[in-house]
Amino acid sequence: MKSFERLVLAHLKDITRPLLDPLQFAYRANRSVDDAVNMGLHYILQHLDRPGTYVRILFVDFSSAFNTIIPDLLLPKLTQLSVPTSTCQWIINFLSNRQQLVRLGKFKSSTCTISTGAPQGCVLSPLLYSLYTNECTSTDPSVKLLKFADDTTVIGLIQDGDESAYRKEVAQLAAWCSQNNLELNAFKTVEMIVDFRRNPPSLPPLTILDSTVDTVESFRFLGSTISQDLKWESHIDSIVKKAQQRLYFLRQLRKFNLPQELLTQFYSVVIESVLCTSITVWYGSATKSDLRRLQRTVRSAEKIIGAPLPTLQDLYDSRVKNRARKIIIDSTHPAHKLFDLLPSGRRFRAPNTRTSRHRSSFFPQAISLLNR
C-alpha cells in the first residue's frame, strides 16, 4: 500500500506544484524549517527598518490537525488544484470508511468506521493536509501567513499603529478554520510583539473566539527559540548545554582508545549536528560572547580527539552559500526574488539595511558571502 501511495504522491506533486501556496514550507522540495524561519525573520527585520513600525506575531495552535480533514471538504479543494477526477475519487475512497480499533495486550475494542482525518503514518497524509489548507492565505500584503504543515504563524507588519489589517486577517483565519473543521486552540495560541520604538505604548490585546490571546516574551518556533528582542542568547544557551552533555560520551570513547577517525565521525554526527542545527538562522546575529562559548565547545572536542575540527564560522559560511545557491536556481522559492543580479551579471544587488540586526540576518549575509 505504501508503495502505491508513493506513486500517487509523486503524481499529486507534479500536478499541484505550480498552484501551491509559496509560504507553505513543509513536504516540498528545496524547502526546510530554516527557510520558513529565515523568511519570517526577513519580513520582520525588513519592516522594522522603517520608523514608526512594530510587529505582532501570532503562533497558532491547532488541536489534532491531521485528524480533522473531511473528505467532502477536501474534494472541491483538489478540483481547484486541477487534480483529475479519477485521482480525486481514489483519494476520497482512501480516506472514507476506514476500520479502526484499539488493542491493549490480548484485549481488543470493537471496530468502528471513521471517515474523518488522514491515517497516521501514511505516505499521503502530510501532502493531503497541505492541499487541504492551501487556500488559507493572507489577502493583505502587510500580513504574512507562514505554514509548515500544521504550524501556522501570522506576522502582522504594523505601520503607524494601524492594526486593522492584522486583526481582520486573524478573524478570517478563525472563520476559515471553523468552516473547514479545523479546531483552533485559542488557549495554546500565543502572540509575541516585537517593538523597538523608544517609548512604545501598551497595545490592546488580541482576541480569538472570545478568548484573549496570551502574550509571550519568547517562543520556540520550528526548533528555534525566538525572543521579542530578536536576540539568540537563550537559544544558544540550550545548544551549548546539549553539546556539552554529549562531550561526555566523546570522552568515554576516548578512554576506550577508539581510533581518531571514528572519534571525529562521532563528533560530526552527535555534537557538530547539535551545534549546527538551524545555524543559518541564528549564527550571523549571535553576539561575540555567545560565539566564543560555542567555539569553546569545539576546542574541547579538539583536545579530546587530538585533531583539528572545522570552525563554526567555516561551517556557517559554507551552509549559507549552499542554501543560497539552491534558492537562486529555484524560481518558485519565495526568497528567489531577493537574489537580484546587477547588470554586470557577476554580483548580486545588496539589500538596503538600516540596522545591524537586519544586516546580520540570513539573506544580507548570503548575498555578502556570494559577492566575495
Side-chain angles (χ1 to χ4, degrees):
M1 187 61 208
K2 291 197 180 223
S3 297
F4 188 74
E5 280 186 72
R6 288 187 181 94
L7 295 175
V8 178
L9 180 69
H11 178 59
L12 277 177
K13 283 184 174 180
D14 287 341
I15 295 168
T16 60
R17 187 179 291 114
L19 302 172
L20 290 178
D21 176 12
L23 294 184
Q24 169 61 271
F25 291 87
Y27 317 119
R28 300 180 67 180
N30 199 32
R31 305 288 193 279
S32 68
V33 168
D34 291 3
D35 285 332
V37 180
N38 280 326
M39 204 68 223
L41 287 173
H42 168 72
Y43 291 133
I44 293 166
L45 292 167
Q46 186 181 53
H47 180 70
L48 291 174
D49 265 2
R50 297 196 288 269
T53 59
Y54 62 95
V55 177
R56 299 187 77 143
I57 312 170
L58 183 71
F59 301 101
V60 180
D61 183 87
F62 292 113
S63 299
S64 303
F66 280 53
N67 294 330
T68 56
I69 296 175
I70 295 180
D72 289 343
L73 293 178
L74 176 62
L75 181 59
K77 301 175 192 292
L78 295 176
T79 303
Q80 290 174 3
L81 291 169
S82 303
V83 178
T85 303
S86 57
T87 307
C88 290
Q89 291 173 343
W90 184 91
I91 291 171
I92 300 306
N93 185 272
F94 174 72
L95 294 176
S96 303
N97 300 319
R98 305 193 312 275
Q99 301 293 311
Q100 183 171 299
L101 58 83
V102 177
R103 179 184 288 112
L104 179 62
K106 62 180 182 179
F107 301 101
K108 291 194 296 185
S109 70
S110 57
T111 302
C112 65
T113 302
I114 56 172
S115 297
T116 303
Q120 293 186 11
C122 284
V123 174
L124 278 174
S125 296
L127 179 63
L128 291 179
Y129 179 81
S130 294
L131 300 180
Y132 190 75
T133 59
N134 187 65
E135 65 184 9
C136 183
T137 58
S138 171
T139 56
D140 193 287
S142 69
V143 181
K144 307 297 181 181
L145 199 151
L146 269 63
K147 294 179 284 188
F148 194 92
D150 60 333
D151 286 302
T152 301
T153 306
V154 184
I155 301 174
L157 309 175
I158 314 299
Q159 178 79 43
D160 299 326
D162 183 8
E163 298 183 354
S164 57
Y166 171 66
R167 292 178 178 274
K168 179 182 176 182
E169 290 292 339
V170 171
Q172 288 179 349
L173 173 63
W176 185 91
C177 291
S178 177
Q179 293 165 6
N180 289 272
N181 199 44
L182 278 175
E183 185 179 349
L184 196 155
N185 191 334
F187 296 104
K188 288 188 177 181
T189 295
V190 296
E191 187 185 40
M192 188 168 71
I193 299 171
V194 183
D195 192 348
F196 293 119
R197 293 176 296 174
R198 287 189 178 179
N199 298 302
S202 58
L203 299 173
L206 183 69
T207 302
I208 300 178
L209 303 177
D210 299 326
S211 298
T212 301
V213 177
D214 291 333
T215 304
V216 296
E217 294 182 356
S218 64
F219 186 81
R220 191 165 177 79
F221 175 47
L222 298 177
S224 298
T225 303
I226 296 182
S227 304
Q228 62 183 170
D229 58 4
L230 298 184
K231 294 181 180 178
W232 298 97
E233 184 178 358
S234 59
H235 180 74
I236 292 171
D237 281 344
S238 64
I239 290 175
V240 170
K241 183 179 179 181
K242 190 181 294 185
Q244 287 178 343
Q245 289 172 342
R246 297 184 180 199
L247 281 176
Y248 167 79
F249 300 105
L250 188 63
R251 293 188 181 96
Q252 293 300 108
L253 292 173
R254 183 77 181 103
K255 288 180 182 179
F256 287 107
N257 298 317
L258 215 65
Q260 195 176 78
E261 182 182 353
L262 290 180
L263 290 174
T264 304
Q265 288 180 4
F266 179 86
Y267 165 81
S268 176
V269 173
V270 176
I271 300 173
E272 186 180 274
S273 61
V274 170
L275 294 171
C276 293
T277 301
S278 296
I279 193 171
T280 63
V281 171
W282 52 265
Y283 187 89
S285 304
T287 63
K288 289 183 178 179
S289 87
D290 283 335
L291 295 180
R292 283 195 294 268
R293 285 195 298 148
L294 290 161
Q295 195 57 41
R296 274 199 297 269
T297 305
V298 178
R299 286 199 296 270
S300 297
E302 286 180 332
K303 291 177 183 177
I304 297 168
I305 296 171
L309 297 169
T311 66
L312 291 180
Q313 182 68 55
D314 290 341
L315 292 169
Y316 168 73
D317 289 350
S318 66
R319 294 192 181 200
V320 166
K321 286 191 283 189
N322 288 339
R323 191 75 212 103
R325 290 185 182 117
K326 289 180 180 178
I327 293 172
I328 290 167
I329 62 175
D330 182 0
S331 60
T332 65
H333 197 288
H336 174 78
K337 61 181 180 293
L338 300 178
F339 294 89
D340 181 25
L341 277 172
L342 292 168
S344 66
R346 296 179 181 178
R347 295 169 63 83
F348 292 94
R349 194 181 305 279
N352 293 323
T353 56
R354 290 183 59 252
T355 58
S356 59
R357 59 176 171 264
H358 186 193
R359 201 173 304 117
S360 59
S361 63
F362 172 76
F363 294 108
Q365 287 290 303
I367 291 171
S368 175
L369 286 169
L370 292 173
N371 284 340
R372 286 180 187 174

